[in-house]
Amino acid sequence: MSLAPVLRRLTGLGLLAGAGLTTYAVCEARAYTLRHVEVPLLPAGQRPLRVLHLSDIHMTPGQRRKQEWLLGLADLAPDLVVNTGDNLSHRDSVPVVRESLGSLLDVPGVFVFGSNDYFEPTLRNPLRYLMPDDGTRFTDAPPLPWRDLRDDFTDAGWLDLTNRRGNVTVGETSFAFAGVDDPHLSYDLLDEVAGPAEPDADVRLGVAHAPYLRVLDQFAADGYDAILAGHTHGGQVCVPGVGALTTNCDLEAARAKGLHRHPAESEAGQAGSAWLHVSAGLGTSPYARIRVACRPEATLLTLTPRG
């Protein structure tokens, strides 16, 4: 029997499977999902608070489904919004992000920026993300209007945590924050925010775009109760039953998304340790709008009393 018909059939099956996987990955990237997580951070007796963690929106003007989904998040009535960067993927996206956030901008909020707030995305070989980081950063790309976005956020009353510390009071709960500029670009100035977290604050939070270990280590050692970050896209292309293959930083793949401890082996209440929440984010590069086993997400963190 000739092998030609068998090879043709196998080739056809391979093409069909590839087309099916691609269709699934394209649909998965648009299956916006709200995650719910509880974190015991509040003093005893305080009412629970709802913190909306947004990250890696990567907005372009034509992404109507994402814009409508984001606008609907205001119905959650969160008490606080934490935005961990990479809001933009197009030079005309600032007003689109502002309009999509809608009345969330009326809620107390804090923010830091990521590389895709500063520079336009560029077409790259996606296999690079599976290779060891060679330190190449695409800072020669055209700049994005991040200053306009910063002004929109601060005019709304959100606190800019770019290499800064600050305080926000939400109801009866006082928050002390420390934030850094994007560690992926080495823009983080840890010395400017280093030092013990405010002992009198009810909750102490560290905020960064990319969860590099040097930043997580500093915040945990300084006594921050929890750290919020994004950047990883949860791995973006994950293997079912295995998980993320890469994080695009030095955080291990097992903590590419979700709620964990830092250091990973530490326990709640242990000195020098913190909760770590990494958002898988809502977007992708506009040149690779696919996700596999890793739906785009925002997270509603419910803060509850400790113990």
Side-chain angles (χ1 to χ4, degrees):
M1 178 180 177
S2 173
L3 288 176
V6 175
L7 292 175
R8 284 196 296 270
R9 178 172 294 184
L10 291 175
T11 300
L13 290 173
L15 292 173
L16 183 62
L21 178 60
T22 300
T23 300
Y24 156 73
V26 168
C27 293
E28 182 90 339
R30 293 155 178 79
Y32 304 111
T33 301
L34 180 67
R35 307 291 184 194
H36 294 267
V37 175
E38 287 193 6
V39 195
L41 292 180
L42 300 179
Q46 289 196 1
R47 71 173 183 87
L49 290 177
R50 293 151 63 90
V51 177
L52 181 62
H53 183 186
L54 299 175
S55 198
D56 299 270
I57 295 171
H58 290 282
M59 184 67 78
T60 64
Q63 294 174 340
R64 295 299 306 168
R65 184 185 301 182
K66 185 191 294 184
Q67 294 158 26
E68 293 168 2
W69 192 86
L70 265 174
L71 194 60
L73 292 177
D75 295 340
L76 298 171
D79 300 291
L80 176 70
V81 179
V82 177
N83 182 314
T84 50
D86 272 9
N87 297 274
L88 307 177
S89 275
H90 192 280
R91 65 185 64 187
D92 297 328
S93 288
V94 170
V96 180
V97 170
R98 181 181 64 242
E99 292 163 10
S100 298
L101 292 175
S103 59
L104 288 175
L105 289 170
D106 298 328
V107 176
V110 300
F111 68 94
V112 294
F113 284 152
S115 61
N116 281 273
D117 294 306
Y118 295 125
F119 301 103
E120 282 189 6
T122 56
L123 181 62
R124 309 172 199 171
N125 181 356
L127 295 179
R128 287 188 67 255
Y129 291 103
L130 299 177
M131 304 300 175
D133 186 2
D134 62 4
T136 301
R137 301 292 181 263
F138 295 89
T139 55
D140 56 347
L144 289 172
W146 61 270
R147 293 177 181 84
D148 295 340
L149 185 64
R150 178 197 60 193
D151 292 346
D152 282 345
F153 285 173
T154 57
D155 288 349
W158 283 13
L159 180 63
D160 183 356
L161 291 175
T162 305
N163 295 321
R164 297 177 183 174
R165 297 171 69 148
N167 299 83
V168 174
T169 298
V170 179
E172 63 182 333
T173 304
S174 60
F175 288 84
F177 290 96
V180 291
D181 207 347
D182 187 13
H184 191 62
L185 296 178
S186 298
Y187 286 179
D188 54 304
L189 301 178
L190 279 171
D191 288 347
E192 296 191 6
V193 298
E198 293 186 25
D200 296 333
D202 294 322
V203 181
R204 295 155 301 180
L205 297 180
V207 181
H209 173 63
Y212 278 81
L213 295 178
R214 64 178 183 276
V215 176
L216 307 183
D217 291 345
Q218 183 72 61
F219 283 152
D222 284 344
Y224 286 90
D225 302 306
I227 308 162
L228 276 63
H231 176 72
T232 66
H233 293 196
Q236 188 163 326
V237 175
C238 299
V239 177
V242 176
L245 301 178
T246 182
T247 63
N248 199 24
C249 65
D250 60 358
L251 184 72
E252 70 277 12
R255 294 190 290 165
K257 64 179 178 180
L259 185 68
H260 301 276
R261 299 292 304 174
H262 188 80
E265 67 277 4
S266 64
E267 298 178 359
Q270 181 178 330
S273 70
W275 291 102
L276 170 65
H277 184 262
V278 180
S279 172
L282 280 165
T284 66
S285 165
Y287 299 106
R289 288 201 66 196
I290 60 169
R291 283 185 179 239
V292 174
C294 185
R295 289 187 170 184
E297 66 178 42
T299 305
L300 191 65
L301 300 160
T302 300
L303 309 190
T304 59
R306 304 180 187 98

